[in-house]
Amino acid sequence: MVLLTVAIGSVLTTSGAVAREMGGGMSQTVAASVAQSRLDSLASLSCAQLSAMSSGSATTLGISEKWSVVDGTHIKILTDTLTVPRRSQALAYSTVVPCQD
């Protein structure tokens, strides 16, 4: 009877851990989609429009994001940093946009 109780307790503990991990994975997937959308919308702007902005922020589906535009030689570096609930470290996504003007 004791062995059965220990086994059931172990299964329940493991099930709870798996459920938390899956929830964390879902949050990261949503964060990646939010970042992709933001970077796509910024990359669709002209280099002149990007030069006029340096940063911004928003909250989408509980995920806070801060984006920045950094000038380089004939490029713009776009970075989106996201803070996901229940995650200790922020996620950062970047892309480079070539500029000819």
Side-chain angles (χ1 to χ4, degrees), residues 56-78:
S57 63
T59 300
T60 306
L61 299 173
I63 298 170
S64 300
E65 62 175 323
K66 294 181 181 177
W67 64 88
S68 64
V69 179
V70 177
D71 285 326
T73 305
H74 303 293
I75 62 170
K76 303 289 185 205
I77 301 168
L78 311 176

Side-chain angles (χ1 to χ4, degrees), residues 23-47:
M26 181 63 77
S27 296
Q28 290 181 28
T29 300
V30 171
S33 296
V34 168
Q36 183 67 50
S37 177
R38 177 68 59 201
L39 293 175
D40 284 348
S41 68
L42 290 172
S44 70
L45 299 174
S46 71
C47 288

